[in-house]
Structures are given as structure tokens and as C-alpha cells.
Amino acid sequence: MQFHVITLFPEMFSALTESGVSRRALQNALYDLKTWNPREFTHDRHKTVDDRPYGGGPGMVMMYQPLKDTIDAIQSQSQSQSQDVGDKKSKVIYLSPQGRPLTQAKAKQLSKLDNITLLCGRYEGIDERLLETEVDEEISIGDFVVSGGELPAMMLMDAVIRLLPGALGHNQSAEQDSFSDGLLDCPHYTRPEEVAGMKVPTVLLEGNHAKIDAWRQIQKEQRTQERRPDLWQAVQVQER
Ligand code: 9WO
């Protein structure tokens, strides 16, 4: 998996490359990450990437040209790297609250692509003409606004990376199924058996694994009903 990230803040991506599962997956060459700074595709002395919005209003909008030239550079580099780019599955994704929601199912689809270009907006957004012509999918990670697309892009990348074959150990890879059954996860406990007057549920101490599985399933269902009626509804529909 090759990630290309278009960002004014490439240093932020060290959060992925320097820690945890995503760091190990990079070391093991399960994916590669290349950042592209649109400032390097400007031609003026001030390296201008933004301008005032037509129609007025607060803030600034990212200009078409530096972003278009960045995307063109990514595409010509990927092409020169392999002669069979025609067979490569590639997508340009823009992270924004206007996108369709990121789900575990979407992360799984994306994990099957060869190339993902993530476009990270800043300021008040990006000139719509760039989005219309260059972006394949607009994806949201939730109904809130942050200061730019970088953190959302990293969340999407992390969700995808941990699905790449070999990214997780054997034990953990089965565990992923806890969300792909559409339910929230069950509670977890570790030693000691009692802490601050609170005991571990006895079923977990008895070693009856059929009983433990049944308990965990009930916990998942109860929590999903209580906390995420929307997910519970979707599971009911699936099973109909
Ligand atoms: C900023 C702003 C300021 C004043 C009035 C309205 C405003 N809207 C925005 C805005 O949406 N800024 C975005 C910041 C521009 C695109 C990149 N930014 C972004 C992406 N914020 N939040 C996301 C995001 C992406 C994916 N999922 C959730 C949120």
C-alpha cells in the first residue's frame, strides 16, 4: 500500500511513522508514506497556497493551482515507478465533514487498494473546482470540525494500516472481528482480581470458555443497544 499525503504540515505524520502498529508496519514495508507539500508547487516569492473567498466572508480558501500541480506530480511519479499503473487501484480522497462517514467496512475496502492519495485541507476549505475534477471520494471521520484534514487523514490511515496482512499479531487479527460483526466491544479486565473495591466479573475467572463467550456476546449486545441504537438497528436489519 502506497499512501501519498498532500499537506502543509508534513511533520504531523510522524505520529504514525514513529509509534505503535503503524510504525512497525512501515518498518516491515507493509506500506509506504510520502508527503507532498503544495507550497513546493507554488511559483511566487511568498509560496502562496491560499486566497480570499469569492463572495466574501471570513478566512481563506486553498487555491486550485498548487494542489493540481501536486496531484499531477504524484500521478506522474507513481506512473514512472511501475509500467503497469493501468492495473493499479488508486483513489484520491479528501477528508472533510461533508464526506460520507468512515466505517470499518469502508476501511476494509480501502485496505485493498494499491495507492491512496489523501488531500488534507486547511483554512476554510479548498476551491470546489479542484474537488470536482481531482477527488474520487470525500470522507468524514465524524460530525465535528477540526483545524485541518491531517488528523482525520491519520485516523483513516491507521484504520487501514492495521488491516494490512501482517500488521497485527495472530491473536489481534481475530479481534478485529469485534467491530465487523457490527457490535461494540465488550468490557476488558486484567489483574488484580479486586481494585478500589471493584471485582472482576466471576464468569471471567472460572475458565468456562463457552460461558465466557456467551457473557461477552451479551455484553456487546447490551452496550450496543444502550450506547448506539443506530448500530443496533443496523444489526437487526442485517439479520432480517
Ligand atoms: C472552518 C471554518 C471557519 C469559519 C466558518 C466555517 C468554517 N468551516 C471550516 C472548515 O470546515 N474548515 C475545514 C478544516 C476545511 C477543510 C479541512 N478542515 C477540516 C476537515 N476540519 N475538519 C475536517 C474533518 C475531516 C474529516 N472528518 C471530520 C472533520
Side-chain angles (χ1 to χ4, degrees), residues 4-13 34-42 44 46-51 60-63 65-68 70 74 94 118-126 147-151 153-154:
H4 294 287
V5 178
I6 303 171
T7 174
L8 295 171
F9 298 98
E11 66 286 352
M12 287 180 72
F13 289 80
K34 186 163 168 52
T35 58
W36 302 75
N37 191 336
R39 277 198 205 288
E40 293 171 18
F41 295 85
T42 56
D44 65 315
H46 298 105
K47 302 186 191 290
T48 310
V49 294
D50 61 324
D51 204 341
M60 301 292 272
V61 175
M62 292 181 82
M63 298 160 69
Q65 176 272 317
L67 294 175
K68 168 65 171 158
T70 308
I74 292 169
Y94 176 49
L118 296 166
L119 175 56
C120 303
R122 282 271 156 177
Y123 313 111
E124 271 57 72
I126 296 181
S147 311
E150 285 81 4
L151 290 169
M154 283 189 261

Side-chain angles (χ1 to χ4, degrees), residues 46-97:
H46 298 105
K47 302 186 191 290
T48 310
V49 294
D50 61 324
D51 204 341
R52 293 171 306 168
Y54 277 118
M60 301 292 272
V61 175
M62 292 181 82
M63 298 160 69
Y64 177 94
Q65 176 272 317
L67 294 175
K68 168 65 171 158
D69 290 354
T70 308
I71 290 170
D72 286 350
I74 292 169
Q75 285 167 356
S76 52
Q77 194 228 269
S78 318
Q79 264 170 43
S80 69
Q81 272 189 2
S82 70
Q83 52 286 70
D84 59 348
V85 79
D87 312 354
K88 293 263 181 237
K89 299 194 209 92
S90 303
K91 269 207 157 80
V92 178
I93 295 172
Y94 176 49
L95 285 308
S96 102

Side-chain angles (χ1 to χ4, degrees), residues 8-239:
L8 295 171
F9 298 98
E11 66 286 352
M12 287 180 72
F13 289 80
S14 62
L16 278 176
T17 60
E18 289 177 13
S19 304
V21 165
S22 52
R23 172 191 168 138
R24 184 151 359 99
L26 180 62
Q27 285 171 342
N28 293 342
L30 303 188
Y31 75 97
D32 186 36
L33 167 59
K34 186 163 168 52
T35 58
W36 302 75
N37 191 336
R39 277 198 205 288
E40 293 171 18
F41 295 85
T42 56
H43 303 295
D44 65 315
R45 289 194 317 123
H46 298 105
K47 302 186 191 290
T48 310
V49 294
D50 61 324
D51 204 341
R52 293 171 306 168
Y54 277 118
M60 301 292 272
V61 175
M62 292 181 82
M63 298 160 69
Y64 177 94
Q65 176 272 317
L67 294 175
K68 168 65 171 158
D69 290 354
T70 308
I71 290 170
D72 286 350
I74 292 169
Q75 285 167 356
S76 52
Q77 194 228 269
S78 318
Q79 264 170 43
S80 69
Q81 272 189 2
S82 70
Q83 52 286 70
D84 59 348
V85 79
D87 312 354
K88 293 263 181 237
K89 299 194 209 92
S90 303
K91 269 207 157 80
V92 178
I93 295 172
Y94 176 49
L95 285 308
S96 102
Q98 284 74 46
R100 278 198 270 270
L102 181 63
T103 61
Q104 192 63 29
K106 172 53 76 175
K108 210 167 197 173
Q109 284 175 19
L110 295 176
S111 73
K112 288 161 186 158
L113 297 174
D114 300 303
N115 264 279
I116 299 179
T117 297
L118 296 166
L119 175 56
C120 303
R122 282 271 156 177
Y123 313 111
E124 271 57 72
I126 296 181
D127 190 307
E128 188 68 20
R129 293 166 295 184
L130 187 282
L131 303 181
E132 277 174 17
T133 54
E134 303 298 327
V135 169
D136 300 310
E137 273 197 63
E138 200 163 331
I139 294 181
S140 166
I141 59 145
D143 294 336
F144 47 83
V145 177
V146 291
S147 311
E150 285 81 4
L151 290 169
M154 283 189 261
M155 293 184 61
L156 180 150
M157 292 171 72
D158 189 80
V160 169
I161 288 165
R162 59 197 301 292
L163 294 174
L164 298 175
L168 299 180
H170 275 295
N171 295 330
Q172 287 172 295
S173 52
E175 177 203 83
Q176 290 169 19
D177 296 341
S178 75
F179 216 115
S180 47
D181 62 11
L183 296 173
L184 300 182
D185 205 359
C186 59
H188 302 285
Y189 300 88
T190 187
R191 293 193 298 176
E193 270 186 47
E194 183 174 336
V195 70
M198 296 174 287
K199 293 192 165 122
V200 174
T202 48
V203 59
L204 299 178
L205 306 173
E206 290 164 352
N208 180 340
H209 287 282
K211 206 171 158 194
I212 290 171
D213 288 349
W215 181 85
R216 286 181 171 155
Q217 187 62 27
I218 298 286
Q219 292 294 314
K220 287 179 174 194
E221 291 175 3
Q222 282 182 356
R223 291 171 129 200
T224 307
Q225 288 176 56
E226 283 174 24
R227 301 181 189 190
R228 292 293 305 275
D230 57 321
L231 292 181
W232 183 247
Q233 189 64 29
V235 170
Q236 302 309 289
V237 170
Q238 259 177 43
E239 289 173 358

